[in-house]
Short mmCIF file of all heavy atoms in Angstrom, two decimals:
data_model
loop_
_atom_site.label_atom_id
_atom_site.label_comp_id
_atom_site.label_asym_id
_atom_site.label_seq_id
_atom_site.Cartn_x
_atom_site.Cartn_y
_atom_site.Cartn_z
N SER A 1256 245.17 -105.08 -76.28
CA SER A 1256 246.18 -106.03 -75.81
C SER A 1256 246.89 -106.61 -77.02
O SER A 1256 246.27 -106.79 -78.08
CB SER A 1256 245.52 -107.17 -75.02
OG SER A 1256 246.43 -108.26 -74.85
N VAL A 1257 248.18 -106.90 -76.87
CA VAL A 1257 248.91 -107.50 -77.99
C VAL A 1257 248.38 -108.90 -78.29
O VAL A 1257 248.69 -109.47 -79.35
CB VAL A 1257 250.43 -107.54 -77.74
CG1 VAL A 1257 250.99 -106.13 -77.63
CG2 VAL A 1257 250.79 -108.37 -76.52
N GLN A 1258 247.61 -109.46 -77.38
CA GLN A 1258 247.01 -110.79 -77.61
C GLN A 1258 245.64 -110.69 -78.27
O GLN A 1258 245.02 -111.71 -78.56
CB GLN A 1258 246.91 -111.55 -76.29
CG GLN A 1258 248.26 -111.82 -75.62
CD GLN A 1258 249.26 -112.49 -76.55
OE1 GLN A 1258 248.88 -113.37 -77.34
NE2 GLN A 1258 250.53 -112.11 -76.46
N ASP A 1259 245.17 -109.47 -78.52
CA ASP A 1259 243.90 -109.32 -79.22
C ASP A 1259 244.00 -109.84 -80.64
O ASP A 1259 244.98 -109.55 -81.35
CB ASP A 1259 243.51 -107.84 -79.29
CG ASP A 1259 243.03 -107.27 -77.97
OD1 ASP A 1259 242.59 -108.07 -77.12
OD2 ASP A 1259 243.09 -106.04 -77.79
N PRO A 1260 242.99 -110.60 -81.10
CA PRO A 1260 242.97 -110.98 -82.51
C PRO A 1260 242.67 -109.76 -83.37
O PRO A 1260 241.95 -108.85 -82.94
CB PRO A 1260 241.85 -112.01 -82.59
CG PRO A 1260 240.94 -111.67 -81.45
CD PRO A 1260 241.83 -111.14 -80.36
N ILE A 1261 243.20 -109.74 -84.58
CA ILE A 1261 242.98 -108.57 -85.42
C ILE A 1261 241.52 -108.45 -85.84
O ILE A 1261 241.05 -107.37 -86.21
CB ILE A 1261 243.90 -108.55 -86.65
CG1 ILE A 1261 243.63 -109.73 -87.58
CG2 ILE A 1261 245.36 -108.54 -86.21
CD1 ILE A 1261 244.43 -109.65 -88.89
N THR A 1262 240.78 -109.57 -85.75
CA THR A 1262 239.35 -109.51 -86.09
C THR A 1262 238.55 -108.72 -85.05
O THR A 1262 237.40 -108.37 -85.30
CB THR A 1262 238.79 -110.93 -86.22
OG1 THR A 1262 239.16 -111.70 -85.07
CG2 THR A 1262 239.31 -111.61 -87.47
N LYS A 1263 239.15 -108.44 -83.88
CA LYS A 1263 238.49 -107.56 -82.91
C LYS A 1263 238.34 -106.16 -83.49
O LYS A 1263 237.37 -105.45 -83.20
CB LYS A 1263 239.30 -107.52 -81.62
CG LYS A 1263 238.76 -106.56 -80.58
CD LYS A 1263 239.61 -106.56 -79.31
CE LYS A 1263 239.10 -105.53 -78.30
NZ LYS A 1263 239.91 -105.53 -77.05
N PHE A 1264 239.32 -105.77 -84.30
CA PHE A 1264 239.33 -104.43 -84.88
C PHE A 1264 238.77 -104.41 -86.30
O PHE A 1264 238.19 -103.43 -86.74
CB PHE A 1264 240.75 -103.87 -84.86
CG PHE A 1264 241.41 -103.98 -83.51
CD1 PHE A 1264 242.29 -105.03 -83.23
CD2 PHE A 1264 241.12 -103.07 -82.51
CE1 PHE A 1264 242.89 -105.13 -81.98
CE2 PHE A 1264 241.71 -103.17 -81.26
CZ PHE A 1264 242.59 -104.21 -80.99
N PHE A 1265 238.98 -105.53 -87.01
CA PHE A 1265 238.51 -105.65 -88.39
C PHE A 1265 237.80 -107.00 -88.52
O PHE A 1265 238.40 -108.00 -88.94
CB PHE A 1265 239.68 -105.56 -89.37
CG PHE A 1265 240.50 -104.30 -89.20
CD1 PHE A 1265 241.71 -104.32 -88.53
CD2 PHE A 1265 240.03 -103.09 -89.68
CE1 PHE A 1265 242.45 -103.17 -88.36
CE2 PHE A 1265 240.76 -101.93 -89.51
CZ PHE A 1265 241.98 -101.97 -88.84
N PRO A 1266 236.53 -107.05 -88.11
CA PRO A 1266 235.79 -108.33 -88.04
C PRO A 1266 235.76 -109.10 -89.36
O PRO A 1266 235.68 -110.33 -89.35
CB PRO A 1266 234.38 -107.90 -87.62
CG PRO A 1266 234.59 -106.61 -86.89
CD PRO A 1266 235.72 -105.93 -87.61
N ASP A 1267 235.82 -108.38 -90.49
CA ASP A 1267 235.70 -109.07 -91.77
C ASP A 1267 237.06 -109.40 -92.39
O ASP A 1267 237.13 -109.82 -93.55
CB ASP A 1267 234.89 -108.22 -92.75
CG ASP A 1267 235.56 -106.89 -93.09
OD1 ASP A 1267 236.47 -106.48 -92.33
OD2 ASP A 1267 235.18 -106.26 -94.09
N TYR A 1268 238.16 -109.23 -91.60
CA TYR A 1268 239.47 -109.52 -92.19
C TYR A 1268 239.59 -111.03 -92.43
O TYR A 1268 239.40 -111.84 -91.51
CB TYR A 1268 240.60 -109.05 -91.27
CG TYR A 1268 241.95 -109.04 -92.00
CD1 TYR A 1268 242.41 -107.87 -92.58
CD2 TYR A 1268 242.69 -110.20 -92.16
CE1 TYR A 1268 243.60 -107.85 -93.28
CE2 TYR A 1268 243.87 -110.20 -92.88
CZ TYR A 1268 244.33 -109.02 -93.43
OH TYR A 1268 245.50 -109.01 -94.14
N PRO A 1269 239.95 -111.44 -93.65
CA PRO A 1269 240.05 -112.89 -93.96
C PRO A 1269 241.34 -113.49 -93.39
O PRO A 1269 242.43 -113.22 -93.90
CB PRO A 1269 240.05 -112.92 -95.49
CG PRO A 1269 240.60 -111.58 -95.90
CD PRO A 1269 240.18 -110.60 -94.84
N THR A 1270 241.24 -114.29 -92.36
CA THR A 1270 242.42 -114.86 -91.69
C THR A 1270 242.72 -116.29 -92.13
O THR A 1270 243.67 -116.89 -91.63
CB THR A 1270 242.24 -114.84 -90.18
OG1 THR A 1270 241.12 -115.67 -89.83
CG2 THR A 1270 242.02 -113.42 -89.67
N ASP A 1271 241.91 -116.84 -93.04
CA ASP A 1271 242.12 -118.20 -93.54
C ASP A 1271 242.19 -119.22 -92.40
O ASP A 1271 242.98 -120.16 -92.44
CB ASP A 1271 243.40 -118.25 -94.39
CG ASP A 1271 243.49 -119.49 -95.26
OD1 ASP A 1271 242.43 -120.07 -95.57
OD2 ASP A 1271 244.61 -119.89 -95.61
N GLY A 1272 241.40 -119.00 -91.37
CA GLY A 1272 241.35 -119.93 -90.25
C GLY A 1272 242.45 -119.75 -89.23
O GLY A 1272 242.51 -120.52 -88.26
N ASN A 1273 243.31 -118.76 -89.42
CA ASN A 1273 244.41 -118.52 -88.48
C ASN A 1273 243.97 -117.55 -87.38
O ASN A 1273 243.18 -116.64 -87.63
CB ASN A 1273 245.61 -117.92 -89.20
CG ASN A 1273 246.28 -118.91 -90.13
OD1 ASN A 1273 247.13 -119.68 -89.72
ND2 ASN A 1273 245.88 -118.89 -91.40
N GLU A 1274 244.49 -117.73 -86.18
CA GLU A 1274 244.29 -116.78 -85.09
C GLU A 1274 245.44 -115.78 -85.14
O GLU A 1274 246.52 -116.00 -84.57
CB GLU A 1274 244.27 -117.51 -83.75
CG GLU A 1274 244.13 -116.60 -82.54
CD GLU A 1274 242.70 -116.13 -82.29
OE1 GLU A 1274 241.80 -116.50 -83.08
OE2 GLU A 1274 242.46 -115.41 -81.32
N ILE A 1275 245.24 -114.69 -85.87
CA ILE A 1275 246.28 -113.67 -86.04
C ILE A 1275 246.06 -112.59 -84.99
O ILE A 1275 245.01 -111.95 -84.94
CB ILE A 1275 246.22 -113.04 -87.45
CG1 ILE A 1275 246.32 -114.12 -88.53
CG2 ILE A 1275 247.35 -112.03 -87.62
CD1 ILE A 1275 246.09 -113.60 -89.94
N THR A 1276 247.06 -112.37 -84.14
CA THR A 1276 246.95 -111.38 -83.08
C THR A 1276 247.83 -110.17 -83.38
O THR A 1276 248.66 -110.18 -84.30
CB THR A 1276 247.39 -111.98 -81.73
OG1 THR A 1276 248.79 -112.28 -81.79
CG2 THR A 1276 246.61 -113.25 -81.41
N VAL A 1277 247.66 -109.13 -82.57
CA VAL A 1277 248.51 -107.95 -82.67
C VAL A 1277 249.98 -108.34 -82.50
O VAL A 1277 250.86 -107.81 -83.17
CB VAL A 1277 248.08 -106.90 -81.62
CG1 VAL A 1277 249.06 -105.74 -81.56
CG2 VAL A 1277 246.67 -106.40 -81.93
N HIS A 1278 250.23 -109.28 -81.60
CA HIS A 1278 251.59 -109.80 -81.39
C HIS A 1278 252.20 -110.30 -82.69
O HIS A 1278 253.37 -110.01 -83.00
CB HIS A 1278 251.54 -110.93 -80.35
CG HIS A 1278 252.75 -111.80 -80.30
ND1 HIS A 1278 253.89 -111.47 -79.60
CD2 HIS A 1278 253.01 -113.01 -80.87
CE1 HIS A 1278 254.79 -112.43 -79.73
NE2 HIS A 1278 254.28 -113.37 -80.50
N HIS A 1279 251.44 -111.04 -83.47
CA HIS A 1279 251.96 -111.59 -84.72
C HIS A 1279 252.27 -110.49 -85.74
O HIS A 1279 253.20 -110.63 -86.54
CB HIS A 1279 250.96 -112.58 -85.33
CG HIS A 1279 250.74 -113.80 -84.50
ND1 HIS A 1279 249.51 -114.19 -84.04
CD2 HIS A 1279 251.63 -114.73 -84.02
CE1 HIS A 1279 249.62 -115.30 -83.33
NE2 HIS A 1279 250.90 -115.65 -83.30
N LEU A 1280 251.50 -109.41 -85.71
CA LEU A 1280 251.80 -108.29 -86.59
C LEU A 1280 253.10 -107.61 -86.18
O LEU A 1280 253.91 -107.24 -87.02
CB LEU A 1280 250.66 -107.26 -86.55
CG LEU A 1280 249.25 -107.75 -86.91
CD1 LEU A 1280 248.26 -106.59 -86.79
CD2 LEU A 1280 249.21 -108.33 -88.33
N LEU A 1281 253.28 -107.44 -84.88
CA LEU A 1281 254.45 -106.74 -84.36
C LEU A 1281 255.75 -107.46 -84.65
O LEU A 1281 256.78 -106.83 -84.89
CB LEU A 1281 254.30 -106.53 -82.85
CG LEU A 1281 253.29 -105.47 -82.40
CD1 LEU A 1281 252.93 -105.66 -80.94
CD2 LEU A 1281 253.84 -104.06 -82.64
N ASN A 1282 255.73 -108.80 -84.61
CA ASN A 1282 257.00 -109.53 -84.75
C ASN A 1282 257.12 -110.30 -86.06
O ASN A 1282 257.97 -111.18 -86.21
CB ASN A 1282 257.23 -110.48 -83.56
CG ASN A 1282 256.41 -111.75 -83.63
OD1 ASN A 1282 255.40 -111.83 -84.36
ND2 ASN A 1282 256.81 -112.76 -82.88
N HIS A 1283 256.30 -109.94 -87.06
CA HIS A 1283 256.44 -110.47 -88.43
C HIS A 1283 256.21 -111.98 -88.53
O HIS A 1283 256.87 -112.66 -89.32
CB HIS A 1283 257.83 -110.13 -89.00
CG HIS A 1283 258.14 -108.68 -89.02
ND1 HIS A 1283 257.48 -107.78 -89.81
CD2 HIS A 1283 259.07 -107.96 -88.33
CE1 HIS A 1283 257.98 -106.56 -89.62
NE2 HIS A 1283 258.93 -106.64 -88.72
N THR A 1284 255.29 -112.52 -87.75
CA THR A 1284 255.00 -113.95 -87.84
C THR A 1284 253.56 -114.22 -88.24
O THR A 1284 253.07 -115.34 -88.09
CB THR A 1284 255.30 -114.66 -86.50
OG1 THR A 1284 254.49 -114.07 -85.46
CG2 THR A 1284 256.77 -114.54 -86.12
N SER A 1285 252.88 -113.20 -88.78
CA SER A 1285 251.45 -113.35 -89.10
C SER A 1285 251.20 -114.25 -90.29
O SER A 1285 250.17 -114.91 -90.37
CB SER A 1285 250.82 -111.98 -89.35
OG SER A 1285 251.31 -111.42 -90.58
N GLY A 1286 252.11 -114.24 -91.26
CA GLY A 1286 251.88 -114.97 -92.51
C GLY A 1286 251.13 -114.18 -93.55
O GLY A 1286 250.95 -114.63 -94.68
N ILE A 1287 250.67 -112.98 -93.18
CA ILE A 1287 249.97 -112.11 -94.13
C ILE A 1287 250.94 -111.68 -95.24
O ILE A 1287 252.12 -111.45 -94.99
CB ILE A 1287 249.40 -110.87 -93.40
CG1 ILE A 1287 248.26 -111.30 -92.47
CG2 ILE A 1287 248.91 -109.83 -94.38
CD1 ILE A 1287 247.78 -110.20 -91.55
N LYS A 1288 250.44 -111.58 -96.44
CA LYS A 1288 251.27 -111.16 -97.58
C LYS A 1288 251.75 -109.73 -97.38
O LYS A 1288 250.98 -108.83 -97.06
CB LYS A 1288 250.44 -111.24 -98.87
CG LYS A 1288 251.17 -110.80 -100.13
CD LYS A 1288 252.19 -111.83 -100.56
CE LYS A 1288 251.50 -113.12 -100.97
NZ LYS A 1288 252.48 -114.17 -101.31
N SER A 1289 253.06 -109.53 -97.55
CA SER A 1289 253.63 -108.19 -97.43
C SER A 1289 253.38 -107.43 -98.73
O SER A 1289 253.84 -107.84 -99.80
CB SER A 1289 255.12 -108.24 -97.13
OG SER A 1289 255.64 -106.94 -96.94
N TYR A 1290 252.69 -106.31 -98.64
CA TYR A 1290 252.28 -105.60 -99.86
C TYR A 1290 253.46 -105.06 -100.66
O TYR A 1290 253.38 -104.92 -101.87
CB TYR A 1290 251.30 -104.48 -99.52
CG TYR A 1290 251.90 -103.25 -98.87
CD1 TYR A 1290 252.11 -102.09 -99.59
CD2 TYR A 1290 252.23 -103.24 -97.51
CE1 TYR A 1290 252.64 -100.95 -98.99
CE2 TYR A 1290 252.76 -102.12 -96.91
CZ TYR A 1290 252.97 -100.97 -97.65
OH TYR A 1290 253.51 -99.86 -97.06
N THR A 1291 254.58 -104.77 -99.98
CA THR A 1291 255.73 -104.25 -100.70
C THR A 1291 256.43 -105.33 -101.53
O THR A 1291 257.28 -105.00 -102.36
CB THR A 1291 256.74 -103.61 -99.73
OG1 THR A 1291 257.01 -104.53 -98.66
CG2 THR A 1291 256.19 -102.33 -99.15
N GLY A 1292 256.09 -106.58 -101.30
CA GLY A 1292 256.64 -107.66 -102.11
C GLY A 1292 255.76 -108.02 -103.30
O GLY A 1292 256.10 -108.90 -104.08
N MET A 1293 254.65 -107.33 -103.45
CA MET A 1293 253.73 -107.60 -104.56
C MET A 1293 254.08 -106.70 -105.72
O MET A 1293 254.04 -105.46 -105.61
CB MET A 1293 252.29 -107.36 -104.11
CG MET A 1293 251.84 -108.26 -102.98
SD MET A 1293 250.28 -107.70 -102.20
CE MET A 1293 249.17 -107.73 -103.62
N GLN A 1294 254.45 -107.30 -106.85
CA GLN A 1294 254.87 -106.52 -108.01
C GLN A 1294 253.78 -105.55 -108.44
O GLN A 1294 254.06 -104.40 -108.80
CB GLN A 1294 255.22 -107.46 -109.17
CG GLN A 1294 255.65 -106.74 -110.44
CD GLN A 1294 256.93 -105.95 -110.27
OE1 GLN A 1294 257.76 -106.32 -109.44
NE2 GLN A 1294 257.10 -104.88 -111.02
N SER A 1295 252.54 -105.96 -108.35
CA SER A 1295 251.45 -105.09 -108.79
C SER A 1295 251.35 -103.83 -107.95
O SER A 1295 250.86 -102.80 -108.43
CB SER A 1295 250.12 -105.86 -108.73
OG SER A 1295 249.91 -106.41 -107.44
N PHE A 1296 251.83 -103.89 -106.71
CA PHE A 1296 251.72 -102.70 -105.87
C PHE A 1296 252.72 -101.63 -106.28
O PHE A 1296 252.51 -100.45 -106.01
CB PHE A 1296 251.93 -103.07 -104.40
CG PHE A 1296 251.55 -101.95 -103.46
CD1 PHE A 1296 250.23 -101.75 -103.12
CD2 PHE A 1296 252.51 -101.10 -102.94
CE1 PHE A 1296 249.86 -100.71 -102.28
CE2 PHE A 1296 252.15 -100.07 -102.10
CZ PHE A 1296 250.82 -99.86 -101.76
#
């Protein structure tokens, strides 16, 4: 479900106390760091 938290699939993912769902990944509102914006990447 798009309302599933991502920890359902990756239990050890560090969410910093946020309830991050599949919905948030789909519409760019998760707050997770975008890897393409990281100079080191």
Side-chain angles (χ1 to χ4, degrees):
S1256 166
V1257 296
Q1258 299 307 322
D1259 286 338
I1261 64 174
T1262 50
K1263 175 180 177 179
F1264 309 98
F1265 304 102
D1267 64 343
Y1268 194 95
T1270 62
D1271 196 24
N1273 290 274
E1274 177 79 359
I1275 304 173
T1276 66
V1277 172
H1278 164 83
H1279 295 123
L1280 303 179
L1281 286 163
N1282 77 341
H1283 303 294
T1284 59
S1285 69
I1287 292 171
K1288 179 74 65 184
S1289 184
Y1290 74 103
T1291 50
M1293 298 167 59
Q1294 179 64 29
S1295 54
F1296 192 81

